[in-house]
Amino acid sequence: MADSVATGLADENETENEDKEREKRLFSGVQKTEKAAASDLTETLGFYERKAKCKERKSNVSDLSLVRFISAELTRGYFLEHNEAKYTERREKVYTCLRIPKELEKLMMFGFFLCLDVFLYVFTLLPLRVLLALIRLLTLPCCGLSGSRILQPAQVCDVLKGFIMVLCYFMMHYVDYSMMYHLIRGQSVIKLYIIYNMLEVADRLFSSFGQDILDALYWTATEPKERKRAHIGVIPHFFMAVLYVFLHAILIMVQATTLNVAFNSHNKSLLTIMMSNNFVEIKGSVFKKFEKNNLFQMSNSDIKERFTNYTLLLIVCLRNMEQFSWNPDHLWVLFPDVCMVIASEIAVDVVKHAFITKFNDITADVYSEYRASLAFDLVSSRQKNAYTDYSDSVSRRMGFIPLPLALLLIRVVTSSVKIQGSLSIVCVVLFYLGMITLKVLNSIVLLGKSCMYVKEANMEEKLFQNPPSAAPSRVSSRAHRTKHTREPPGEPAEEGMSASVTTQPTQRDECPAPQIPTSESDQFLTTPDESEEKSLIQDDTELKHRAPKKDLLEIDRFTICGNRID
């Protein structure tokens, strides 16, 4: 009995111990599973235990090798089509830069022949027009025609130009070119470099103010007598114009003399420094913000500067050939330097315009718009409603005033070439006839090209509109004129271009309000269409907060566009 009881107790103790061991095992298993779950949870959050880190490092070290790294670098790839728009834009910018030299030189060539046409006009047609005006002035009072005007406004302007040229020519005889040359040659190189830069700035300032002086003289001399006098008189304006042309001619003479000293220097250091001045221009222009109107001003400035430099090079060659008794061998000595100056000028213009268009996202097609604007000036000067001479229009647009430059060239040629004998006179007459022939042919070709450019730009309708009013009153009274503008009666709405390019301008008895252009051709310029502005005025919305923009046809060389006058 006792044994049986003892064995029963022992069995119960064993069962209890086994239950406790099972519970311990279950508890330890639960703890292990919780630790495993916790370790998995921490791994998903990015935190690794020390053992896991050691194992990961061992696996990474085992995977890394120099061969695998090199193979990865050699076989690593990427896909450019994932950013297709960016690379397409970069390619278009490259193509635009490649197109800039061609389009820019087209504009430069067209502008160069425009300046040449105006420059030849001073030597060829202006003397003939002055002679005809003087004949009319002397013969018309004898005919008893007192009721009509003795001279037309254009003839008055021609006579004034002729008198200015004659007076300034006699005044230029008192300026000694040889003394000026030796005076400049005695200066140091750095001083001459500073002088040349100052002369360039002074030339731009003279051109800006000089055209205003000439315009004031022309308007004062031709202003209708019925109006109230608001000027100081024709004679003071005339003497101001004479003084301006004389001083500007002397300034250009100093420029030509400085360039001549640079050509004749032994080590050519001054010429190199003056050429490097063109590359400094890139630094001052490329990294500035430009709009289409600003670039149009710069293009006109470059055209004028290139033509002026070519004329200065011609003067330098004439002076050097005179010093060497017109020996043709010396011309070949000057030829490399002349080509170097011209090449540097072209290279600087191309680089400057290429990077300006690149940085400001301007397409190369803008130069065709500039060319059409210049062509419009030439074609509009042949219309019935022409309000200015073409030479004056080019002067305002480009800042190129031909009178001082032509005066200097006449002074240099007459001092360099001696006319003696009948044979020399015959040669001068033949040369003059050749210049007239060149002027006529150049004008015909330019007029044909200009009509083609205007037609391509769809600007024909603007040719038959009245000339614009003054710029200050145009902006202030635009809304008033828009409401009250009507087409003048009796005028056809459309005319053929070829029928009116050669007709003479007619004087209008009444000056109606300028018509507002409503053609669709204005959209290619920077100014919004006037019909759009008319609808905005009628709706009375957003016009008060809208800043007026400049049309390319209203931008001259010295109009402030943005923050730049180049």
Side-chain angles (χ1 to χ4, degrees):
M1 256 324 272
D3 294 334
S4 62
V5 172
T7 55
L9 293 172
D11 293 332
E12 290 178 357
N13 291 331
E14 289 179 357
T15 55
E16 288 176 358
N17 291 333
E18 290 176 359
D19 293 334
K20 290 179 179 179
E21 289 178 358
R22 290 175 181 175
E23 290 176 359
K24 289 179 180 180
R25 291 174 182 175
L26 291 174
F27 184 74
S28 62
V30 170
Q31 288 181 346
K32 290 181 180 179
T33 55
E34 288 177 355
K35 289 181 180 180
S39 63
D40 293 335
L41 181 60
T42 54
E43 285 179 1
T44 57
L45 295 176
F47 300 98
Y48 296 93
E49 294 181 353
R50 187 175 297 174
K51 293 182 179 180
K53 289 181 180 180
C54 293
K55 291 180 180 179
E56 187 68 24
R57 288 175 182 175
K58 290 179 180 179
S59 62
N60 289 338
V61 170
S62 62
D63 292 338
L64 289 178
S65 66
L66 181 61
V67 176
R68 290 175 62 87
F69 177 77
I70 295 176
S71 63
E73 289 295 322
L74 293 177
T75 58
R76 179 171 53 86
Y78 48 86
F79 298 94
L80 297 180
E81 63 260 18
H82 292 168
N83 199 354
E84 181 179 355
K86 174 183 177 181
Y87 292 104
T88 303
E89 181 184 359
R90 298 293 174 84
R91 184 174 61 186
E92 292 300 325
K93 286 185 177 181
V94 173
Y95 291 163
T96 300
C97 289
L98 294 178
R99 287 181 58 196
I100 288 300
K102 179 181 177 181
E103 298 296 329
L104 177 63
E105 289 306 316
K106 284 183 180 179
L107 175 65
M108 289 290 179
M109 191 66 65
F110 184 73
F112 177 83
F113 282 105
L114 290 181
C115 294
L116 179 63
D117 188 70
V118 173
F119 195 60
L120 290 176
Y121 170 81
V122 178
F123 298 99
T124 56
L125 299 185
L126 181 60
L128 298 178
R129 289 175 63 94
V130 172
L131 182 61
L132 292 176
L134 292 178
I135 293 174
R136 177 184 174 89
L137 183 63
L138 295 175
T139 58
L140 193 59
C142 300
C143 300
L145 301 176
S146 58
S148 60
R149 300 184 61 171
I150 298 178
L151 292 179
Q152 296 298 323
Q155 293 176 327
V156 173
C157 295
D158 293 335
V159 171
L160 290 174
K161 290 178 183 179
F163 284 162
I164 290 173
M165 291 292 293
V166 172
L167 287 178
C168 291
Y169 176 74
F170 285 110
M171 293 170 65
M172 287 292 291
H173 277 286
Y174 294 95
V175 180
D176 192 353
Y177 185 89
S178 301
M179 183 185 68
M180 184 183 298
Y181 175 82
H182 291 288
L183 181 64
I184 293 176
R185 188 173 184 179
Q187 308 298 323
S188 61
V189 174
I190 188 65
K191 189 181 292 186
L192 289 178
Y193 174 69
I194 296 174
I195 291 175
Y196 193 78
N197 289 334
M198 293 174 61
L199 291 175
E200 285 189 348
V201 177
D203 179 57
R204 295 179 182 182
L205 296 179
F206 267 75
S207 299
S208 174
F209 190 60
Q211 187 58 40
D212 294 338
I213 292 176
L214 295 176
D215 288 339
L217 172 64
Y218 301 152
W219 173 240
T220 305
T222 59
E223 188 178 7
K225 304 301 181 183
E226 296 83 10
R227 299 190 179 185
K228 182 180 179 181
R229 176 172 175 173
H231 53 80
I232 60 177
V234 178
I235 296 178
H237 278 285
F238 178 76
F239 283 110
M240 288 173 58
V242 171
L243 181 62
Y244 154 71
V245 173
F246 176 69
L247 293 178
H248 199 177
I250 292 179
L251 187 142
I252 300 175
M253 177 183 286
V254 177
Q255 277 186 303
T257 307
T258 309
L259 189 62
N260 195 5
V261 171
F263 269 77
N264 294 332
S265 59
H266 297 288
N267 52 3
K268 306 294 183 182
S269 59
L270 180 58
L271 184 62
T272 305
I273 293 175
M274 292 170 61
M275 288 174 55
S276 65
N277 189 34
N278 294 330
F279 292 92
V280 176
E281 185 181 356
I282 297 177
K283 179 183 177 181
S285 303
V286 166
F287 302 105
K288 292 184 179 180
K289 181 176 177 57
F290 276 84
E291 295 180 356
K292 290 174 65 176
N293 293 339
N294 303 103
L295 186 59
F296 185 41
Q297 281 185 315
M298 173 172 284
S299 302
N300 292 333
S301 174
D302 292 337
I303 293 171
K304 177 253 181 183
E305 183 180 357
R306 185 175 294 189
F307 184 83
T308 305
N309 289 339
Y310 290 170
T311 309
L312 293 179
L313 290 175
L314 176 62
I315 294 174
V316 169
C317 292
L318 289 176
R319 296 297 301 178
N320 279 274
M321 293 296 291
E322 180 197 2
Q323 296 298 323
F324 287 88
S325 303
W326 300 98
N327 186 8
D329 295 335
H330 184 68
L331 182 62
W332 297 108
V333 176
L334 296 173
F335 187 73
D337 294 334
V338 172
C339 292
M340 187 168 55
V341 173
I342 295 175
S344 66
E345 185 74 25
I346 295 175
V348 167
D349 289 341
V350 168
V351 172
K352 180 174 63 177
H353 283 265
F355 281 98
I356 286 175
T357 53
K358 177 183 183 298
F359 293 150
N360 295 275
D361 294 329
I362 300 176
T363 62
D365 298 330
V366 73
Y367 292 102
S368 62
E369 300 178 13
Y370 299 160
R371 191 174 58 208
S373 299
L374 296 179
F376 183 87
D377 292 337
L378 176 60
V379 179
S380 61
S381 64
R382 303 292 199 275
Q383 302 303 306
K384 293 181 179 180
N385 58 348
Y387 59 93
T388 183
D389 186 62
Y390 176 65
S391 60
D392 298 327
S393 177
V394 171
S395 300
R396 299 184 192 99
R397 180 78 71 177
M398 300 183 183
F400 173 67
I401 303 178
L403 296 183
L405 194 60
L407 178 65
L408 177 61
L409 187 59
I410 293 174
R411 171 71 174 84
V412 171
V413 170
T414 53
S415 62
S416 302
V417 180
K418 304 300 180 181
I419 303 175
Q420 296 177 354
S422 59
L423 183 60
S424 300
I425 296 176
V426 171
C427 292
V428 170
V429 172
L430 292 177
F431 181 75
Y432 179 71
L433 294 177
M435 290 181 62
I436 293 180
T437 305
L438 178 62
K439 168 68 175 66
V440 172
L441 292 178
N442 188 34
S443 299
I444 292 174
V445 174
L446 282 178
L447 186 59
K449 288 289 184 181
S450 299
C451 293
M452 183 181 66
Y453 295 149
V454 170
K455 186 176 181 180
E456 289 177 355
N458 298 324
M459 300 172 65
E460 301 97 325
E461 295 181 3
K462 286 187 176 183
L463 293 172
F464 311 109
Q465 296 168 2
N466 291 333
S469 59
S473 62
R474 185 185 65 85
V475 178
S476 60
S477 61
R478 176 178 291 180
H480 178 75
R481 289 190 294 106
T482 306
K483 293 180 180 179
H484 297 85
T485 299
R486 294 180 181 177
E487 293 185 359
E491 290 188 0
E494 295 182 356
E495 299 180 11
M497 184 188 303
S498 61
S500 61
V501 240
T502 56
T503 53
Q504 293 292 331
T506 57
Q507 184 180 2
R508 298 176 182 270
D509 297 333
E510 298 181 356
C511 298
Q515 296 180 358
I516 297 178
T518 57
S519 63
E520 298 179 356
S521 62
D522 297 347
Q523 297 178 358
F524 90 101
L525 298 174
T526 56
T527 304
D529 198 353
E530 296 288 347
S531 61
E532 180 184 352
E533 292 185 0
K534 183 176 180 179
S535 62
L536 289 174
I537 293 173
Q538 292 175 353
D539 296 337
D540 198 13
T541 57
E542 298 182 2
L543 188 61
K544 297 180 180 180
H545 307 285
R546 184 176 183 179
K549 295 183 179 180
K550 290 283 186 181
D551 194 293
L552 285 181
L553 298 178
E554 300 172 4
I555 302 297
D556 58 24
R557 172 63 183 83
F558 306 104
T559 304
I560 299 180
C561 295
N563 296 322
R564 182 180 182 84
I565 302 179
D566 187 26

